[in-house]
Amino acid sequence: MKSTMMDAPLTVASLLRHGRRWHSDRQVITWSGSGEPRRSTFADVAARAARLAHGLASLGITGDQRVGTYQWNNQEHLEAYLAVPAMGAVLHTANIRLFADQLTYTINGAKDQVMIVDESLAAQFAPLLPDLPTVHTVVVNGTVDHVLFEGSGRRVVAYDDLVADRPDTYAWADVDERDAATICYTTGTTGNPKGVAYSHRSILIHSLSSCTQNALRIGFEDRMLICVPMFHANAWGYPFTAWWHGADMVLLDRFLKPDTIASAVEQERITFANGVPTVWNDVLQLVRREPGRDLSSLRIVVVGGAAVTPSLLESFDREAGARIVQGYGMTETSPLVSVAVPPRGAAPHEELSARLSQGRVAAGVDVRLVEPDTLEDLPADGHTVGEILLRGPWISGSYLGDEGPDKFHEGWLRTGDLGTLDPQGYLRLTDRAKDVIKSGGEWISSVELEGVLLGHPEIAAVTVIGIPDQRWDERPCAVVVPHEGARPDIESLRTWLAGKVARWWIPEYWAFLDALPLTSVGKIDKKELRSRHQLGRLAVARQASALPPSADG
């Protein structure tokens, strides 16, 4: 029996039209390096998106050709988010922090024809053009420095010139909701970045799920500070979600610094913000230095990309008056998989435990826990550790170019994350499969060890990598960034760990740095640290041998 329901397509064009009509007075605010922020309404942005579509059509973008962005978080980037998919083309948000060879790999893989480039990034982008054969036009957001592009053989136009004197409405394309709308590449921490093409349908269903009571509860009463880079996983989906549901958006352009974040929260009375834990730990340090800062308007700060620590959660609750909530996801999952909202009626210790998990699986996502080698199912008992497999309407089923077939198995995405799943659907990561440390035949969780070490009062940041050991095959090496003015010594750190972790987990290898290397999206780059160690460029000190696994029972 067929249903009686209409088959209304879920497309970015329908989302654009809804926001323009019903949220026309909502604001998009782009921060400035000096002076007042730039303010526009949704109606203004929608009109400029239509003008951009006309401009891109004049450049030959008439089908599902790819348009790339090389941009910060700003209004023009949002206009491209809306215009490019709605006109039937595909938006590729190129990662401005990739190395040159990785960046050219992604632009060539996406087959971008037009690139929208911020004027502040033009000098680093222009030298890449000889290696970008599909790019025929560069649109500069700002003033064009023609000297930079001299001899490139490319057409170069200013963004404002491209959209000037064009109609503020557009006959948005009637596309299949399963067609690609945007492309994002993974960060390439293991080999070349891999392309994920999000469909119109996946974007809208993801936005619906993220707004639910069990997830992030986003609505028209919110004012959102989008700290997540718009080149990464659709900025975690927030620009589309905010537009569809009528939340004001505050975008910090290139000024993502603790004092700017705090000022934006204070001046714009932000209710919802996001980002990696490192960013919000820096904001917390600012609040401690400047106790007059007022972040009380924040109802929620959603963090992801790295595990949050108990000290950050509790300190933010107490000192900033804002609640941090952890989410879990990745480029391949659009990215929302789970949100760490505590269960109803949870006791205080149960609530903290739930907030420290990766959260409860969002409605719409199927999850399995499997033995990594055999892929046999494991119980969701909250104790058994296995690899997490996912599927759902906003989960990628492949990569562009059929790369990485080992990441997909019979319709499931293999995340490479190890963890537990409990009967209520809460995920807890214990490690990445590539980061777990096998010492003397036993597993050591780098994630758990890092979480404990971050509770030490003299440690500002830390990560743990496995390094070769003649006796135990592999041992943990703690790479520590001390707080300013602190000088922790290895023996005191080892003594402090005693009783907090298994004795044989306590590292005898230690390194101290001024800062940890980060990936292009702000995650700690363990691959880089392992490479430094292999090349002899990581100064590692060794203290008394740890006990063997059998000594701890």
Side-chain angles (χ1 to χ4, degrees), residues 439-440 467-475 508-509 542 545:
S439 183
I467 63 174
D469 180 86
Q470 188 171 6
R471 184 178 184 188
W472 303 113
D473 296 324
E474 193 173 39
R475 289 294 298 158
E508 62 268 38
Y509 296 101
R542 187 177 188 277
S545 297

Side-chain angles (χ1 to χ4, degrees), residues 217 341-352 354 360 424 426:
R217 311 173 191 184
V341 176
R344 182 179 60 189
H349 71 281
E350 294 171 328
E351 179 175 328
L352 179 60
R360 194 176 193 183
Q424 290 184 297
Y426 282 87

